Amino acid sequence: MGFWGIEVKPGEPYGYQSDEFKGRLHITQATLGLGESKERSIVQCSMGYKSPIFLCSLLPNKNESCPLDLEFEGVDGLIDFSVIGKRSVHLSGYFVDDDRDARDDYES
Amino acid sequence: MGFWGIEVKPGEPYGYQSDEFKGRLHITQATLGLGESKERSIVQCSMGYKSPIFLCSLLPNKNESCPLDLEFEGVDGLIDFSVIGKRSVHLSGYFVDDDRDARDDYES
Amino acid sequence: MGFWGIEVKPGEPYGYQSDEFKGRLHITQATLGLGESKERSIVQCSMGYKSPIFLCSLLPNKNESCPLDLEFEGVDGLIDFSVIGKRSVHLSGYFVDDDRDARDDYES
Amino acid sequence: MGFWGIEVKPGEPYGYQSDEFKGRLHITQATLGLGESKERSIVQCSMGYKSPIFLCSLLPNKNESCPLDLEFEGVDGLIDFSVIGKRSVHLSGYFVDDDRDARDDYES
Amino acid sequence: MGFWGIEVKPGEPYGYQSDEFKGRLHITQATLGLGESKERSIVQCSMGYKSPIFLCSLLPNKNESCPLDLEFEGVDGLIDFSVIGKRSVHLSGYFVDDDRDARDDYES
């Protein structure tokens, strides 16, 4: 499955549907997109009825990249990533193969 | 169990009750909430009779996000997260399935 | 296989061909190269027909290093790393031996 | 075993005695304590006859938190953490259960 | 094996000889040494005939610590760490016991 990356644009929430087939999604980095605005861009995620949680806050010309370490798996269902601010944010990471991780010992 | 996130507000400590059923909680990120204050917000945690320990210090317009790598498990009991400062802090992370991690070999 | 490192220069995309033989490539750090430009250097990666994704943004005299946590494996095929900006970026990391990670239990 | 945290105060080195019983100590974060000084606080560790090694440098009002990824285990013996500077530093992390990590296969 | 740390001084490259006996070396942190210079210190590593790769760039009074995640193992042979700049850099990390990691299953 390997690499995963999206650009989350202001006003265009990105819906990620986690499910068992895809394996766990490990999001490891956020980087500010291009633009003129000097305002911060905050990435938040929303799941169902819960309040949105801020995942990172990027500051133009100060801190434009932020390491993350988030995992989403099947039980998380639909996750909405959205941006508060005027510049988009690129999220990147990779899928973790549960089999690799679980070292399925049933055959041993 | 997947994603976990809370907003810790000034004056409202958040009590997290770790227990064996939930698995280990891995907290991986802190992000400053919205607000006008230019003062730092510090997240601290308290467990029982011990002195509170500062987990991170977020500076408005300078460093508004901070990676963390903290784990809490059943034996930790009740943990109180609180904020010193005027702006809230969003904490995020995920539950680690001990079975996945432990690769329960008893069936093998 | 161990350590891996490259310098990605402006105008010279670096093509990395992932394949099963090499194992997974874990890229863990980006550092700005030498130069006079005060402009940011952004590292992006492109895979096939998808839009490029920004991996990090380095700011001269402010943030010249950035931790990463990216993995590329065989199924990712050809990945092009390129720089937007005037200064090169050094990427470093290491190969993860899947055998080590998978703890191949077939022999046990 | 779970969470671990200490406050290292200037002039008061903290001696940590690693041993096999406790398991590996994983220190993952340093955060500057309260105070008026604008000078940096550096955390260093000393082991036996070796020269002290700086682990992180925290700058008031600039970078008051720093992720770490250090492990100490039984063979390391006595480790002295001390602070160069006028403000204390809070260190936090957690114990890694070697059994969990080692997935003791002897019973399998 | 546990903790590992060195101070790399300007003009004094540090040669690390990786070999199978020592296990994998995991370098996780770089911190600027003391000094008056306001210039950046860059840590680079060289292996055999390859071009040096920059591992991190530390800026006095701005970013004096940098998390790393680098691994060196037996096949890497001799690695030279050196500093470009006037102030030394402390590198720290720990040895990863391959047995622990590999969960040597031969006895099982």
Side-chain angles (χ1 to χ4, degrees):
Chain A
M1 312 238 224
F3 182 78
W4 176 91
I6 57 166
E7 181 181 358
V8 186
K9 296 175 183 169
E12 297 181 28
Y14 178 91
Y16 175 76
Q17 178 67 53
S18 62
D19 62 48
E20 305 239 333
F21 177 74
K22 290 177 187 166
R24 281 180 292 130
L25 172 61
H26 193 190
I27 303 182
T28 58
Q29 199 78 9
T31 297
L32 198 65
L34 299 173
E36 296 302 316
S37 171
K38 301 270 181 274
E39 281 175 46
R40 73 173 56 74
S41 283
I42 293 170
V43 179
Q44 63 181 0
C45 86
S46 308
M47 298 169 72
Y49 59 90
K50 296 175 196 157
S51 300
I53 296 292
F54 292 4
L55 303 181
C56 64
S57 172
L58 299 173
L59 302 167
N61 300 315
K62 290 176 186 166
N63 275 302
E64 302 195 345
S65 283
C66 178
L68 298 172
D69 172 13
L70 293 169
E71 283 194 11
F72 297 93
E73 50 188 321
V75 295
D76 286 318
L78 181 65
I79 303 131
D80 269 310
F81 296 100
S82 55
V83 165
I84 303 174
K86 291 183 178 155
R87 288 168 66 170
S88 71
V89 176
H90 294 242
L91 298 177
S92 57
Y94 52 92
F95 285 97
V96 179
D97 181 351
D98 273 322
D99 280 359
R100 185 181 79 202
D101 199 68
R103 277 132 236 204
D104 190 343
D105 287 330
Y106 299 106
E107 291 86 357
S108 69
Chain B
M1 312 239 225
F3 182 79
W4 175 90
I6 57 165
E7 181 181 358
V8 186
K9 297 176 183 169
E12 297 181 27
Y14 179 91
Y16 175 76
Q17 178 66 53
S18 62
D19 62 47
E20 305 240 333
F21 177 73
K22 291 176 187 166
R24 281 181 292 130
L25 172 62
H26 193 191
I27 303 183
T28 58
Q29 199 79 8
T31 298
L32 198 64
L34 299 174
E36 295 303 316
S37 172
K38 301 272 182 269
E39 281 174 45
R40 73 174 55 75
S41 283
I42 293 170
V43 179
Q44 64 181 0
C45 85
S46 308
M47 297 169 71
Y49 60 89
K50 296 176 196 158
S51 300
I53 297 292
F54 292 3
L55 302 182
C56 66
S57 172
L58 299 173
L59 302 167
N61 299 314
K62 291 176 186 166
N63 276 301
E64 302 195 345
S65 283
C66 178
L68 299 172
D69 172 14
L70 294 169
E71 283 194 11
F72 298 93
E73 50 188 322
V75 295
D76 287 319
L78 181 65
I79 303 132
D80 268 310
F81 296 100
S82 56
V83 166
I84 303 174
K86 291 183 178 154
R87 287 167 67 170
S88 71
V89 176
H90 294 241
L91 298 176
S92 57
Y94 52 93
F95 285 97
V96 178
D97 181 351
D98 272 322
D99 279 0
R100 184 180 80 201
D101 200 66
R103 280 129 235 205
D104 191 343
D105 288 329
Y106 299 106
E107 290 86 358
S108 72
Chain C
M1 312 241 225
F3 182 80
W4 176 91
I6 58 166
E7 180 181 358
V8 186
K9 296 175 182 169
E12 297 181 27
Y14 178 91
Y16 175 76
Q17 178 67 53
S18 61
D19 62 47
E20 305 239 334
F21 177 73
K22 290 178 187 164
R24 282 180 292 130
L25 172 61
H26 193 190
I27 303 182
T28 58
Q29 199 79 9
T31 297
L32 198 65
L34 298 174
E36 295 302 315
S37 171
K38 302 271 181 271
E39 280 174 46
R40 72 172 58 72
S41 282
I42 293 170
V43 180
Q44 63 180 1
C45 85
S46 307
M47 299 170 71
Y49 60 90
K50 295 176 196 158
S51 300
I53 296 292
F54 292 3
L55 301 182
C56 64
S57 173
L58 299 173
L59 302 167
N61 300 315
K62 290 176 186 167
N63 275 302
E64 302 195 345
S65 283
C66 177
L68 298 172
D69 171 14
L70 293 169
E71 283 194 13
F72 298 94
E73 51 187 320
V75 295
D76 286 319
L78 181 65
I79 303 131
D80 269 310
F81 296 100
S82 56
V83 165
I84 302 174
K86 293 183 177 154
R87 287 168 67 170
S88 71
V89 177
H90 294 242
L91 298 177
S92 57
Y94 51 93
F95 285 98
V96 179
D97 181 351
D98 272 322
D99 280 359
R100 185 181 79 203
D101 201 66
R103 278 130 235 205
D104 190 343
D105 288 329
Y106 299 106
E107 291 86 357
S108 70
Chain D
M1 312 238 227
F3 182 79
W4 175 90
I6 57 165
E7 181 180 358
V8 186
K9 296 176 183 169
E12 297 181 28
Y14 178 92
Y16 175 75
Q17 178 67 54
S18 62
D19 62 48
E20 305 240 334
F21 178 74
K22 289 177 188 164
R24 282 180 292 131
L25 172 61
H26 193 192
I27 303 183
T28 58
Q29 199 78 10
T31 297
L32 197 65
L34 299 174
E36 295 303 315
S37 172
K38 301 273 183 268
E39 281 175 45
R40 73 173 55 74
S41 283
I42 292 170
V43 180
Q44 64 180 0
C45 84
S46 308
M47 298 169 71
Y49 60 90
K50 296 175 195 158
S51 300
I53 297 292
F54 292 3
L55 302 182
C56 65
S57 172
L58 299 173
L59 302 166
N61 299 314
K62 291 176 186 167
N63 276 302
E64 303 195 345
S65 283
C66 178
L68 298 172
D69 172 13
L70 294 169
E71 283 194 11
F72 298 93
E73 49 187 323
V75 295
D76 286 319
L78 180 66
I79 303 131
D80 268 311
F81 296 100
S82 56
V83 166
I84 302 174
K86 292 184 178 152
R87 286 167 68 169
S88 71
V89 176
H90 294 242
L91 298 177
S92 56
Y94 51 93
F95 285 98
V96 179
D97 181 352
D98 272 322
D99 280 358
R100 184 180 79 202
D101 200 65
R103 278 131 238 201
D104 191 342
D105 288 329
Y106 298 106
E107 292 85 358
S108 72
Chain E
M1 312 238 226
F3 182 80
W4 176 91
I6 57 166
E7 181 180 358
V8 186
K9 296 175 182 169
E12 298 181 28
Y14 178 92
Y16 175 76
Q17 178 67 53
S18 61
D19 62 46
E20 305 240 335
F21 177 74
K22 289 178 187 165
R24 284 180 290 131
L25 172 61
H26 193 191
I27 303 183
T28 57
Q29 199 78 9
T31 297
L32 197 65
L34 298 175
E36 295 303 315
S37 172
K38 302 272 182 267
E39 281 175 45
R40 72 173 57 73
S41 282
I42 293 170
V43 180
Q44 64 180 0
C45 85
S46 307
M47 298 170 70
Y49 59 91
K50 296 175 195 158
S51 300
I53 296 292
F54 291 4
L55 302 182
C56 64
S57 173
L58 299 173
L59 302 167
N61 299 315
K62 290 176 186 167
N63 276 302
E64 302 195 344
S65 282
C66 178
L68 298 172
D69 171 14
L70 293 169
E71 283 194 12
F72 298 94
E73 51 187 321
V75 295
D76 286 319
L78 180 65
I79 303 132
D80 268 311
F81 296 100
S82 56
V83 165
I84 302 174
K86 293 184 177 152
R87 286 167 68 169
S88 71
V89 176
H90 294 243
L91 297 177
S92 56
Y94 52 92
F95 285 98
V96 178
D97 181 351
D98 272 323
D99 281 358
R100 185 180 78 202
D101 200 66
R103 276 132 237 202
D104 191 344
D105 288 328
Y106 298 107
E107 291 86 357
S108 70

